[in-house]
Amino acid sequence: MTKAPDMTSHTEPSTKRRHVGSHWGFYSHDDAQDAVRPFAGDPDPVDFGTKLPADRLAQCRILRPTVRKSYLEHGPGYAGGRRGSEAFVEVSWDEALDLVAGEIRRVRDDHGNGAIFSGSYGWSSAGRFHHAQSQLKRFFNMNGGSVRSVQTYSYAAGEVILPHVIGSLDGLVSGQTPWSQIVGHAELIVMFGGTPLRNARVNAGGVVRHETRQGLVACRDAGAEFVNISPVRDDAGEELGSEWMALRPGTDTAVLLALAHTLITAKHHDETFLERYTVGYETLRDYLFGRNDGVTKDAPWAASISGIEAARILELADRIATRKTLIMMAWALQRADHGEQCYWAAIAVASLLGGIGLPGQGFGFGYASVAGIGQPPSPVRWPSLPQGDNPISDFIPVARIADMLLSPGTDYEHNGKTRTYPDIKLVYWAGGNPFHHHQDLNRLVEAWQKPETIIVHEHWWNAHARHADIVLPASTFLERDDVVASGRDSFFGYSTHLAAAPTGVLSDHEILRLISARLGTESAFTEERTEAQWLEHLYDAARSDAASHHIAMPAFVEFQQSGLIEVANRRPDQPFMADFRTDPDAHPLRTPSGRIELASACIAGFGYTDCPGHPAWLEPKEWLGADLAATHPLHLLSCQPHDKLHSQWDHAAPSRKTKSGGRQPVRMHPENAQARGLSDGDLVRIFNHRGACLAIVSITDAVMPGVVQLATGAWYDPSEPTTPGSLELNGNPNVLTPDHGTSNLTQGPSPNSCLVEISRYIGKAPDVRAYRPPDLVPDPRLQEQTGGARP
Ligand SMILES: Nc1nc2c(c(=O)[nH]1)N[C@H]1C(S)=C(S)[C@@H](COP(=O)(O)OP(=O)(O)OC[C@H]3O[C@@H](n4cnc5c(=O)[nH]c(N)nc54)[C@H](O)[C@@H]3O)O[C@H]1N2
Ligand SMILES: Nc1nc2c(c(=O)[nH]1)N[C@H]1C(S)=C(S)[C@@H](COP(=O)(O)OP(=O)(O)OC[C@H]3O[C@@H](n4cnc5c(=O)[nH]c(N)nc54)[C@H](O)[C@@H]3O)O[C@H]1N2
Ligand SMILES: [Mo]
């Protein structure tokens, strides 16, 4: 096939080169030099990907199927605290797979498929075929179905409220105004939560060109000014020269409401826009002017809540009214109590300004939350493993996992419906780590004892594996071939294995195939394809989708050889909501009114006191203005880690490098450190009524007084696994964060509403043990077969 004009091949001249696609970039491997280096065409490559192969066979690698000791001895049942604190016995694959298949059959027969939970939330690895969660869901769909989860930990509150307000997830997940329509147009960019570039390093499914820095710098060079509204100064890159407005975490809604109030008072609001494109303005205005509650949401009111002086709020209101302004807001803001409100309030302010749908104006969420926001999206539907249909319709909002396990049969509210938690007997997880992602881990440990059986596929002996009954060792992305692609750029990559998986370690697909064979569903699961044939099949599906848009992609073999292809995007760039702006009758929003809903009759009709029918300031349970702040005066923000993706490869060199004395740094303001007699490098205990962890003080005035920052990602390592709430040794912030829904509407996670206190840790702290395997009882039969050697 001749190279089509709309397709570029990115082969680099070399001897023999293999490529690796990952969530944090595309890398090439030089066999001659045995080194991995970033793709040459990436303007802002992420080097932590180059350091991972060295730690592929670390001591914490899981090399054999294992079963928790008393589970092997006594069979399934309530674990009564033993999950997470027991030794494991190594067993043969046959034994492990028979056990798994038998258990799935037992639970199905005794309780039905509605007693199986396979939500299995998590990022797993980037490849489209080996995506563990997709494999698992396909497997269960072929075997009678299972209970799932909906929404994400990333933006659950946004995901549920935005369809009510603007009719879709555009502007949150994709469809944001592209950089080409911002640069040279926006005069002022107001960034709530900044645009921390560490987060724009990764993207689910992969990223080839990291362009966020370029986009921001180009705006600056074209004359845009930046305001960073955040508790953390370096949420904005120094190169942007932005003004920092430090505010108390969780108070953005108050500031936005005051901006709205000020715009209306100064008659700076765009009445024509409001009239033509929105509904509910009067309801919002009445609220802003305190017609029902007697509280005027003006600048002094917001100042007393947020800590930003009233004069600065007034001045900002004037600036946004007189300059072409784009409002950016990080995803982090809605991972907090009432996280819906700041999103709704941001849309309200953008509506009052009237620039929505025009270049360089309006609003957009998550510009630096992942890579690829603001880049032209893939013109071709990216390939994914077909999952089939789930015969079980039951689901939970993803972050309600502990509630579900602790309170089966209990009713809860979700988006206007009363739902009931199912009674789950069997939990199956592959490619996610709830002991990373969930809040209030001490509560999760308790909830995790309830199911009769927990099965996990993992690479490492992290807390997730340690809390399972049956642990099956899965190969890493460095040990498999895969097709890598994401909806946020226009590349397709062929990822080649760098090494074979250690003997005894299988791919998630292979594990599930072998279980299917035992359940009599193998050919439904595999469709009689080998893994290699699946890759070609998935690629060909994308290729024919491309063909239907008159875009030519090369044949699979050619793609495999070149390693990376780029499909040109022929769609013209346009601002978010441009069509709606041009003609709202021809392009109505998918809201009940077809317009932007500044007040929603639908939400009001649900009658939720924690989410009224218009954007509103509702006090978070924990914030610096709460009563609890008298004893726990520090607000903990648990941001994403710059040196890794979530908990992935926490044991590897890039993550180890960030730690100090093997522990996580907690950033705090000099004032707060001094008041506690703390110096840089001191070992401290961070604590509240939910738990406590250790960390190392890192003093900086980049965080405002009263705020401390501890990145997520350190593997949960309780000092006394059998004692609930014991000191966590490794600096995992989720022993401190609260586990309740953002609101009855969305039931999202709210880790960012969290108060703590910090004090010096006196004495010698126990060593971190997270990266050592648990006690493993070798199976003598296996020792004979393999000589017991680690590969
Ligand atoms: N406090 C606090 N908590 C948070 C957040 C926060 O901001 N603050 N952020 C939340 C957000 S936005 C998210 S998305 C979640 C992320 O939570 P997760 O996505 O669950 O976190 P990961 O560490 O990526 O988990 C992936 C797990 O799968 C394993 N894995 C990787 N590849 C494969 C594979 O191919 N096969 C198998 N079997 N396993 C594999 C990894 O070893 C790892 O243990 O965390 C959430 N938790
Ligand atoms: N390197 C790296 N990048 C990642 C990830 C990773 O693990 N590692 N995870 C990825 C995932 S799954 C996701 S969902 C995204 C998440 O992307 P985000 O949600 O945008 O990321 P965070 O780091 O949690 O928060 C961004 C900033 O918001 C600020 N912030 C927190 N609370 C408030 C508040 O109340 N008000 C204001 N104004 N600012 C606040 C914090 O200072 C923080 O630095 O990141 C992705 N990118
Ligand atoms: Mo996320």
Side-chain angles (χ1 to χ4, degrees), residues 422-439:
D423 190 357
I424 295 299
K425 307 292 182 194
L426 186 150
V427 171
Y428 202 133
W429 221 288
N433 181 0
F435 290 84
H436 162 76
H437 64 234
H438 198 59
Q439 284 60 63

Side-chain angles (χ1 to χ4, degrees), residues 307-319:
I308 302 179
E309 301 96 70
R312 289 187 79 190
I313 298 174
L314 293 171
E315 192 257 349
L316 182 63
D318 189 59
R319 273 169 83 192

Side-chain angles (χ1 to χ4, degrees), residues 203-518:
N203 182 48
V207 44
V208 172
R209 283 198 195 112
H210 293 82
E211 293 184 341
T212 314
R213 184 192 304 274
Q214 279 185 327
L216 287 163
V217 167
C219 291
R220 176 205 66 189
D221 291 346
E225 292 168 19
F226 294 84
V227 178
N228 171 31
I229 304 191
S230 173
V232 181
R233 187 182 59 224
D234 51 18
D235 276 346
E238 255 179 52
E239 67 268 32
L240 301 183
S242 49
E243 178 187 340
W244 181 29
M245 293 175 79
L247 89 173
R248 291 162 153 187
T251 65
D252 303 79
T253 303
V255 174
L256 284 155
L257 293 172
L259 290 173
H261 178 275
T262 311
L263 289 172
I264 297 169
T265 309
K267 300 209 168 12
H268 273 150
H269 59 299
D270 185 335
E271 277 178 356
T272 321
F273 184 91
L274 292 168
E275 175 67 27
R276 184 143 195 241
Y277 300 100
T278 73
V279 296
Y281 168 64
E282 291 74 18
T283 307
L284 176 65
R285 189 194 53 203
D286 286 354
Y287 172 73
L288 294 173
F289 287 82
R291 303 263 152 82
N292 299 318
D293 62 3
V295 180
T296 309
K297 280 72 183 182
D298 57 9
W301 169 82
S304 70
I305 294 171
S306 66
I308 302 179
E309 301 96 70
R312 289 187 79 190
I313 298 174
L314 293 171
E315 192 257 349
L316 182 63
D318 189 59
R319 273 169 83 192
I320 61 176
T322 50
R323 287 174 178 70
K324 285 185 186 154
T325 298
L326 177 62
I327 297 176
M328 292 182 176
M329 190 174 272
W331 291 342
L333 277 76
Q334 50 81 68
R335 286 199 300 281
D337 283 356
H338 312 301
E340 305 79 22
Q341 302 306 323
C342 52
Y343 273 41
W344 206 352
I347 295 170
V349 170
S351 298
L352 291 168
L353 293 175
I356 293 173
L358 299 177
Q361 301 186 60
F363 66 93
F365 302 106
Y367 266 97
S369 295
V370 285
I373 305 281
Q375 276 168 241
S378 173
V380 178
R381 197 171 336 120
W382 50 323
S384 62
L385 183 72
Q387 293 180 12
D389 296 318
N390 186 3
I392 301 290
S393 58
D394 203 1
F395 64 83
I396 57 161
V398 68
R400 302 277 52 83
I401 175 91
D403 287 355
M404 171 185 79
L405 296 177
L406 289 168
S407 318
T410 305
D411 288 349
Y412 65 99
E413 285 299 307
H414 180 241
N415 202 8
K417 295 207 170 65
T418 305
R419 303 185 52 82
T420 307
Y421 288 121
D423 190 357
I424 295 299
K425 307 292 182 194
L426 186 150
V427 171
Y428 202 133
W429 221 288
N433 181 0
F435 290 84
H436 162 76
H437 64 234
H438 198 59
Q439 284 60 63
D440 198 351
L441 289 180
N442 290 307
R443 185 168 183 260
L444 183 70
V445 170
E446 191 195 332
W448 219 245
Q449 308 300 325
K450 302 279 182 184
E452 294 177 351
T453 296
I454 297 181
I455 304 165
V456 162
H457 298 187
E458 252 298 341
H459 309 319
W460 322 108
W461 276 115
N462 57 14
H464 184 43
R466 284 165 194 263
H467 284 80
D469 298 322
I470 305 173
V471 181
L472 305 175
S475 53
T476 66
F477 73 103
L478 296 169
E479 299 152 352
R480 309 178 297 223
D481 283 14
D482 215 329
V483 176
V484 176
S486 107
R488 291 207 177 90
D489 64 21
S490 42
F491 289 93
F492 284 78
Y494 189 86
S495 187
T496 326
H497 67 283
L498 292 187
T503 317
V505 172
L506 304 177
S507 71
D508 295 291
H509 177 79
E510 182 63 5
I511 298 171
L512 295 168
R513 182 186 74 79
L514 292 167
I515 302 168
S516 301
R518 283 163 170 78

